[in-house]
Amino acid sequence: MARNKEGLVLLIDVSPSMHSVLPEIQKVCSLLIQKKLVYSKYDEVGVVVFGTEDTKNDLTKEVGGYEHITVLQPIKVVDGDLVDVVQQLPRGTIPGDFMDAIVVGMDLLIKKFQETIKGKKRICLITNAMYSIKDPYEGTKEDQVYTLAEQMAVHGMKIDCIIYRGNEKRDPHENNVIAENDMLLSIFSKKTKAKAVHVESSTSLLGALRTRNVTPVTTYRGDLEISSTFKIKVWVYKKTAEERFPTLKKYSDKAPSTDKFATHEIKLDYEYKSVQDPTKVVPPEQRIKGYRYGPQVIPISSAELEAVKFRPEKSVKLLGFTNASNIMRHYYMKDVNIFIADPGNKKATIAVSALARAMKEMNKVAILRCVWRQGQANVVIGVLTPKVSDKDNIADSFYFNVLPFAEDVREFQFPSFSSLPASLQPNAEQQEAADKLVMMLDLAPAGKEESLRPEFTPNPVLERFYHHLELKSKHPDAAVPPLDESLKRITEPDPEVTSKNKLVIDEFRRHFELKENPKLKKSTRRLLRDKTSGSYENQSTDLVASTSEVKIETFGDLIPVSDFEAMISRRDSPEWVSKAIFGMKNTILDLVENSFEGDNYPKALECLIALRRGCVIEQEPKQFNNFLSHIYRFCQETNLLSFCEFLASKDVTFVTKSEAEDSEIEEQDARSLFVKPGSNS
């Protein structure tokens, strides 16, 4: 018998009120079987529907009652036929009694497994619980639920309840029935292992059913060292981890069809041959790894590689505390772990709870140094965030996120909106349109179920893969089907929400309408003549909007400003900004140096203004300020003081701190620092 084998009974409500959502139930139940065929092929599953006109179950024959409940599939090992069963659920005509269905499901599990696989027997109830259940022959409905819950605990069963409720309006009587049924289902969680989930949309229903059981395995068991004399026993588990595609193995059909024990697996052997003599095989003892170091390749043997590895002792140590605001959300790396006190250790539970509550009260987080296993080749630094429970039967705990080292951080410099000219910032009308768009497309509106909650949203890529795998198992030549409509609701905007908020979206589009910029079709000299104002500060241009579709890689003499703007706006490599600035500097110096009686000065001024504007947008103030100082010294050394006088008359200034945070020039010093040249003595 498989170690982690599970016995599962699906109890599905097919009453008339569930007909609209049955297609989604068929899909999610099919996915459950498909995943079990990949990951848990020894699991056994049974299917029971209630609300049918017919009755087919053992309890009706043995003791009577339990009408309108049909066992579609007795418990058996999962196979392809089981997928067909859940894909063809009948449509019932009678209001279903979910409590009777639970009894039938328990009866199936008890008869099939007796006292075996305790803790691995599960009932999954899918219903809207909108119909009143029958009164028991003895006692109250609550007494009946308590009795069932106690029997579940005795036989090692657990129950998952998925309660689907749409947004339809209901009369007071229906609301009273729903409230009573919710109360009855909540009793299971008090007496046995149970989980109840309420969903309002078919998309949430797809993720509400746990389609794969992952046995929790501790990452670490040991001490959380506060100091050398104070240690808390903790266990560490994975809280979230990305689920990947199942491993696909190479398969061979060369084995004889009569060989029942053939594995059809392929074994790979690699041979390393000499470059000088391709026929000579190099044995392992004559091979060594090499690492590039400049122009050299440094050979390092396996023994040296093992010796140089860092092998710290297994431990989790507290380094200190810091304000929660000091740890940015974008610092979190990899998966999330959860720290809990050693189960059964009362002192550890109290210590963890006290520490978590103190940290939460003071808005602090802890920084830990972690080595999960003996012989682990790396050290992890991470942040421990308190998780104070609001339930009496769940202890306090911590969430742990790995933090990056300096080598792991990627710096991307972006200009701040506050440092840009007013013409490059949204106006009041644009801001209001954006606010309305965000408000109207809220995924968690008041009084409604939040859309796309992570715990209820399945991965559409994996869902599609498993569906195609099942299809190929029956039809080997089947083509890849189009994306299912239910998965489109996850990957694409909701058409209903989009149409409902069309006016808001159209208003946003009007305020941010993109138009072709005709400026690139003229020479920059003509552009300057066309402008009404002579001050360059009023001549700001959106570099991103005016970028040509042609990717500029070099500067031309005809329209250097346009070439510069196109190059500095390229985002396919971070090198283009520095190349554009460097090229424009050389262009300006060439224009000034090759000028005859100042004929190139206006064009050099255009280029200098464009360079200044680009350095402000890209937040490179030092590049411009240093170049302005350099060009002043260059003109003094080459007897071109007339260009300095020309710049002074055009009021060219350094980039100030108010325009770019990295600038060292204050607003009041912008003009005084640029010394106007005196007359020749």
Side-chain angles (χ1 to χ4, degrees):
M1 181 180 292
R3 176 188 170 194
N4 293 320
K5 173 182 174 180
E6 180 186 51
L8 171 67
V9 173
L10 294 172
L11 304 180
I12 303 172
D13 189 347
V14 294
S15 305
S17 60
M18 290 287 289
H19 286 185
S20 62
V21 77
L22 280 180
E24 307 302 330
I25 293 176
Q26 291 176 169
K27 291 173 186 175
V28 71
C29 292
S30 299
L31 179 66
L32 180 143
I33 307 301
Q34 292 160 13
K35 281 193 175 183
K36 285 186 177 295
L37 284 168
V38 175
Y39 295 106
S40 309
K41 60 184 179 182
Y42 298 110
D43 282 5
E44 300 187 37
V45 176
V47 182
V48 177
V49 294
F50 57 100
T52 56
E53 187 171 350
D54 298 330
T55 301
K56 182 183 176 183
N57 64 79
D58 290 344
L59 286 180
T60 300
K61 301 173 185 176
E62 295 170 2
V63 298
Y66 303 100
E67 298 174 341
H68 309 298
I69 299 174
T70 301
V71 178
L72 283 186
Q73 175 62 61
I75 298 174
K76 71 168 187 174
V77 176
V78 291
D79 57 17
D81 294 337
L82 201 54
V83 177
D84 294 334
V85 170
V86 296
Q87 286 181 344
Q88 300 173 12
L89 296 177
R91 271 46 178 175
T93 57
I94 307 296
D97 188 322
F98 65 84
M99 202 61 67
D100 278 357
I102 291 175
V103 176
V104 171
M106 291 176 61
D107 180 64
L108 285 174
L109 288 171
I110 292 172
K111 289 177 178 176
K112 177 69 178 181
F113 299 109
Q114 301 295 328
E115 298 299 319
T116 61
I117 65 168
K118 277 198 172 184
K120 300 293 183 180
K121 295 190 280 280
R122 180 162 66 107
I123 293 174
C124 181
L125 172 67
I126 305 176
T127 181
N128 56 13
M130 289 184 61
Y131 299 116
S132 180
I133 64 172
K134 296 189 292 290
D135 290 321
Y137 294 113
E138 296 181 0
T140 63
K141 295 178 181 178
E142 291 90 334
D143 295 336
Q144 182 188 21
V145 178
Y146 276 113
T147 302
L148 292 177
E150 289 171 358
Q151 287 299 311
M152 284 186 181
V154 169
H155 291 279
M157 297 181 193
K158 47 191 171 185
I159 181 170
D160 293 338
C161 303
I162 300 174
I163 303 148
Y164 173 79
R165 301 271 166 72
N167 297 318
E168 300 87 1
K169 293 183 179 180
R170 305 179 186 91
D171 58 45
H173 173 70
E174 288 178 322
N175 288 329
N176 292 336
V177 172
I178 288 173
E180 180 187 42
N181 289 340
D182 287 349
M183 181 273 296
L184 294 174
L185 289 172
S186 68
I187 295 176
F188 284 109
S189 61
K190 299 176 182 178
K191 290 293 183 179
T192 187
K193 292 182 179 179
K195 182 179 73 172
V197 174
H198 290 75
V199 295
E200 295 180 2
S201 67
S202 56
T203 304
S204 297
L205 182 61
L206 285 175
L209 178 60
R210 191 174 74 242
T211 56
R212 182 186 172 200
N213 284 325
V214 180
T215 304
V217 178
T218 52
T219 303
Y220 173 84
R221 295 189 187 190
D223 296 329
L224 168 56
E225 298 184 27
I226 309 298
S227 69
S228 58
T229 57
F230 178 30
K231 303 176 182 179
I232 304 174
K233 294 289 184 183
V234 294
W235 287 12
V236 182
Y237 289 93
K238 287 276 189 186
K239 181 62 177 175
T240 62
E242 180 185 0
E243 181 164 344
R244 304 180 184 275
F245 282 100
T247 303
L248 301 179
K249 297 181 179 180
K250 292 181 174 62
Y251 177 86
S252 171
D253 60 355
K254 299 298 183 182
S257 57
T258 56
D259 187 356
K260 297 181 179 180
F261 301 99
T263 61
H264 299 279
E265 292 183 359
I266 295 176
K267 293 183 179 180
L268 299 179
D269 289 326
Y270 293 92
E271 285 187 346
Y272 295 83
K273 295 186 177 181
S274 171
V275 177
Q276 291 78 15
D277 185 4
T279 62
K280 182 181 178 182
V281 177
V282 181
E285 61 272 12
Q286 294 181 14
R287 300 196 300 262
I288 191 171
K289 289 184 177 181
Y291 293 87
R292 290 198 176 277
Y293 188 72
Q296 310 174 65
V297 176
I298 309 298
I300 298 181
S301 66
S302 299
E304 289 176 311
L305 199 59
E306 287 297 314
V308 81
K309 284 183 178 178
F310 184 53
R311 298 190 182 280
E313 292 292 321
K314 173 184 174 181
S315 62
V316 173
K317 297 183 179 181
L318 173 70
L319 301 182
F321 298 93
T322 185
N323 290 332
S325 59
N326 291 336
I327 306 298
M328 301 295 107
R329 178 64 184 83
H330 59 268
Y331 287 163
Y332 292 175
M333 299 176 63
K334 300 185 178 179
D335 306 324
V336 182
N337 291 330
I338 184 169
F339 276 60
I340 64 172
D342 183 354
N345 189 325
K346 187 176 180 180
K347 290 184 178 180
T349 302
I350 295 173
V352 166
S353 179
L355 187 60
R357 291 170 185 269
M359 289 167 60
K360 185 174 181 63
E361 183 178 346
M362 294 186 284
N363 197 27
K364 298 283 186 179
V365 293
I367 306 299
L368 302 186
R369 167 197 180 275
C370 303
V371 180
W372 307 120
R373 303 179 306 277
Q374 190 67 35
Q376 181 176 311
N378 67 313
V379 174
V380 172
I381 301 295
V383 57
L384 202 64
T385 306
K387 174 66 172 68
V388 176
S389 174
D390 56 357
K391 297 181 180 179
D392 294 336
N393 59 341
I394 299 178
D396 299 331
S397 56
F398 295 97
Y399 289 137
F400 178 82
N401 292 89
V402 176
L403 294 177
F405 290 104
E407 294 83 357
D408 305 321
V409 177
R410 301 291 182 266
E411 290 291 349
F412 299 101
Q413 294 292 338
F414 297 102
S416 169
F417 274 119
S418 61
S419 65
L420 296 178
S423 60
L424 296 179
Q425 297 190 36
N427 57 37
E429 292 181 351
Q430 290 175 323
Q431 190 62 59
E432 183 181 0
D435 292 344
K436 288 181 179 178
L437 181 70
V438 173
M439 188 183 306
M440 296 305 294
L441 297 181
D442 187 4
L443 291 176
K448 293 184 179 180
E449 179 190 49
E450 179 183 353
S451 302
L452 301 179
R453 289 172 59 184
E455 61 268 34
F456 294 153
T457 305
N459 186 332
V461 178
L462 290 174
E463 296 262 331
R464 191 181 190 205
F465 171 79
Y466 290 119
H467 173 61
H468 184 57
L469 197 63
E470 190 270 333
L471 184 65
K472 291 281 285 185
S473 69
K474 298 175 180 176
H475 308 285
D477 298 327
V480 178
L483 188 65
D484 188 87
E485 288 298 323
S486 57
L487 299 181
K488 278 187 179 180
R489 291 195 292 269
I490 299 173
T491 59
E492 298 177 2
D494 188 339
E496 182 179 345
V497 175
T498 303
S499 61
K500 184 179 179 181
N501 298 290
K502 186 177 184 301
L503 293 177
V504 177
I505 297 172
D506 290 344
E507 182 182 359
F508 182 80
R509 184 188 295 115
R510 283 196 303 272
H511 283 94
F512 293 91
E513 185 176 359
L514 295 178
K515 297 180 180 179
E516 182 181 1
N517 193 334
K519 295 175 183 177
L520 290 179
K521 297 182 179 180
K522 304 178 183 179
S523 69
T524 51
R525 185 182 298 276
R526 182 180 175 188
L527 272 177
L528 197 64
R529 287 201 308 269
D530 291 344
K531 294 183 185 293
T532 57
S533 174
S535 172
Y536 75 91
E537 290 183 347
N538 297 324
Q539 298 170 1
S540 60
T541 308
D542 190 340
L543 296 184
V544 176
S546 64
T547 302
S548 172
E549 293 182 0
V550 180
K551 293 185 177 180
I552 301 298
E553 297 186 0
T554 58
F555 276 74
D557 295 333
L558 182 62
I559 49 172
V561 172
S562 296
D563 292 344
F564 169 75
E565 291 178 346
M567 184 181 291
I568 202 172
S569 300
R570 288 186 62 171
R571 291 297 180 262
D572 51 332
S573 170
E575 297 178 358
W576 292 115
V577 173
S578 57
K579 284 184 178 181
I581 293 174
F582 179 77
M584 183 56 92
K585 288 178 180 178
N586 288 336
T587 299
I588 294 170
L589 289 174
D590 289 342
L591 287 170
V592 174
E593 191 173 15
N594 298 323
S595 179
F596 178 72
E597 295 183 354
D599 62 336
N600 287 341
Y601 288 178
K603 189 170 186 176
L605 175 63
E606 291 179 42
C607 295
L608 192 64
I609 292 172
L611 177 63
R612 187 185 193 280
R613 185 167 57 244
C615 289
V616 169
I617 291 177
E618 298 297 335
Q619 294 292 282
E620 296 284 354
K622 293 182 180 179
Q623 290 271 17
F624 179 81
N625 292 343
N626 292 341
F627 177 68
L628 195 59
S629 299
H630 170 74
I631 203 170
Y632 174 69
R633 292 193 299 271
F634 171 78
C635 290
Q636 284 185 320
E637 294 170 359
T638 56
N639 197 24
L640 292 170
L641 293 177
S642 58
F643 183 64
C644 293
E645 295 173 354
F646 179 74
L647 293 183
S649 68
K650 298 300 181 181
D651 198 25
V652 178
T653 65
F654 291 114
V655 176
T656 63
K657 190 179 288 290
S658 63
E659 296 174 284
E661 293 182 359
D662 293 340
S663 176
E664 298 175 354
I665 308 298
E666 298 294 342
E667 187 73 31
Q668 62 271 19
D669 299 328
R671 289 172 176 79
S672 62
L673 284 174
F674 187 77
V675 181
K676 295 183 180 180
S679 58
N680 292 335
S681 55

